[in-house]
Structures are given as C-alpha cells and as structure tokens.
Amino acid sequence: MMDDYSPMQQNTARYAGVMLLVVAVVWGTSYGMVKQAVLFYPVAGFLFIRFMLTFVLLLPALRRCWRQAVVPGLVLGAVLLAIFLCETFGVALTTASNAAFLISLCVVLTPFVEWLMLRRRPENSVFIAAGVSLCGALLLTGGVVIKMNAGDMLILGAALLRAVMVCLTKKLMQHRNVPALALTAVQTGMVAAGSLALLLATRQGIPALPQSAAFWGATLYLVLFCTLFAFFAQNYAVKRLTPTRASLLMGTEPLFGALFTMFWLQESLTPAAWLGGILIVGASVWATRPRRVAVIPVSD
C-alpha cells in the first residue's frame, strides 16, 4: 500500500504507474490494429507471427538468466496465450464497443481475484473506484445493452484471465529476482509455440504469408509497442504496485482506444463518452494517489 512506502518507494511506484498509463495508451490502439491484421491472416497464425518476432527480439535477454525465468515465464505464458486467443478471436467476432466495455471488467474483477489468490482484501476505496471505472466504460461505449454472443463471451473470459494474470504475476514474482525482459521473453515464446500448435492442428500446414503492407505495418506496431514494450512495462510495474492498483491504471485503456478512433479514424465522441472517459481516468488517479500518513510525535 502507498501508505507504507518510503519517499523513494513512492517515486518508484509513481514511475511504475506512468509506465502502466503508457501501456493503456498503446493497448487502446491495439483493437483497430488487430482487426486490420486478422483480415489478411488466420488468428492463430497472426498470433504466431506477432509473438515469434517478439521472442526473437528478446532472446538476448535470456542469455544469463534463463533458468530463473523459465518456470514463472512458462506459467504466465500459458495464461497469456489463453488471454490473447480469447481477445483476438473475440475482437473478430464482436463489436469494438462491446469488446472495450467487456475487457474493462478486468478492473472490477481484479480486487476479487486478488482477495482470493493473495488473501488480501483491498481497501474499500478500490472497490468504489472499480465501480466508477466500470460505469465510465459503459458511458464511453455508448451504454450499449450487451447481447452475449460468442465474441462477447470470449472477451469476458479474457477480462477474467487478465485479472488472474496480474495477480499471478505478483504472486510468482514477489520472491523472485527475474529481469522483466527475460520474463517477457519466455512468456512470448510460450504464446508463439501455443499459437503455432493451434494453427497446425486446425489447418493443413502454415498458410502463405500475407503480402499486404497494411498487415505488416499493423503487426510490427503490435510487436514493438503493444507486446514488447507493454509486457516489459507490466512485468516491471506489477512488482511495484498492488495488482488492483495496476489493473485500475490499465483500466484507462477504453478511454485511449476511443481517443485513438477519434484522431486516427476520424470518429467523434459523444458528451456521454467524454464523461465516461473522465470517470475512468478520475477513478484510476484517485485510487492510486499517494496517501499521507499521520505522524504521531513520540515523547522522550
């Protein structure tokens, strides 16, 4: 908790929080990029390309510490594989507004998963902030009535798995000294291997690679920013923040996704959407603010 942090720890926690906000920005742009990429290539094949490229770039990080990174990396990589399969198939099968709303349920689910996995009840303010953030996401996505099709169910599963992921990362890494890049390398290698296995199991061999510049542009953006940077930042920050606070910061993702569509795709935001975005950011900032501790003078 921020209450017990030293000034140096508070600065580290603030830095970790800024990194997670940047992660929320790039992840907010990812839905459009993924939708574009899977128009040219099967979902499992696209995931294999994306994560294999990331794994190759990160191989040097494993040179001296692969033994420490293998066990937690494989466990977390299996969860990450499930998340990306659910998210990528889900985005292909549902609307962007449904996906943005349902994935933000991770913010609401994380306090309960943290309570269950880490035996630590979050502060009441965190539950309030999670509820406010959820209301903001609903306003941001137009207050749609969710009709649970297959894509919606997959995105809901991804939201639950995201909550599990952030808590499991905290649990596995709190007593291990594993560099974030090495951990990310093993995770991405696991996702690449699992995606390739799924591709080979569901198709007659590997399809020919796309020739479209749009596919490769979207894929490289996702590799460099939404995978390489984002998972390094997440692994770094979760060790320095509680899972619930980390999830609240990453819960600003729908706001940045809406801003991306407005500036990049020339879509407009309604007043209700702006209010929803303000609620999401406000709830995250309020829940993660440093708290002053009352100093009780000690008599001689």
Side-chain angles (χ1 to χ4, degrees), residues 70-243:
V70 164
V71 172
L74 289 177
V75 173
L76 295 172
V79 179
L80 190 62
L81 172 63
I83 290 171
F84 273 94
L85 287 173
C86 287
E87 279 190 7
T88 310
F89 278 108
V91 167
L93 295 174
T94 190
T95 65
S97 60
N98 280 20
F101 171 63
L102 288 170
I103 204 67
S104 71
L105 284 173
C106 171
V107 177
V108 180
L109 294 170
T110 300
F112 298 98
V113 175
E114 180 179 2
W115 197 354
L116 179 66
M117 291 183 63
L118 302 182
R119 307 297 185 197
R120 183 169 58 217
R121 185 185 186 280
E123 301 170 2
N124 291 334
S125 61
V126 171
F127 289 98
I128 295 170
V132 171
S133 183
L134 178 61
C135 292
L138 182 58
L139 286 170
L140 184 66
T141 53
V144 293
V145 177
I146 302 295
K147 295 180 180 178
M148 300 298 290
N149 61 25
D152 297 326
M153 293 297 294
L154 286 169
I155 296 294
L156 183 58
L160 177 59
L161 287 168
R162 278 195 185 192
V164 171
M165 179 76 175
V166 72
C167 294
L168 188 59
T169 301
K170 184 72 174 182
K171 187 172 184 177
L172 290 177
M173 299 307 296
Q174 59 187 353
H175 300 304
R176 287 183 169 93
N177 185 23
V178 181
L181 281 176
L183 181 65
T184 306
V186 178
Q187 287 177 278
T188 55
M190 179 66 178
V191 176
S195 300
L196 178 60
L198 179 61
L199 180 67
L200 295 175
T202 55
R203 291 185 172 264
Q204 299 290 331
I206 300 176
L209 293 177
Q211 302 298 314
S212 168
F215 172 84
W216 289 106
T219 300
L220 289 175
Y221 174 83
L222 289 164
V223 166
L224 295 175
F225 296 99
C226 300
T227 308
L228 189 61
F229 165 75
F231 287 105
F232 163 74
Q234 184 180 9
N235 289 332
Y236 172 88
V238 165
K239 290 179 67 174
R240 293 157 177 84
L241 298 171
T242 66

Side-chain angles (χ1 to χ4, degrees), residues 267-283:
E267 295 182 4
S268 60
L269 289 176
T270 65
W274 279 113
L275 176 60
I278 292 169
L279 286 175
I280 292 171
V281 174

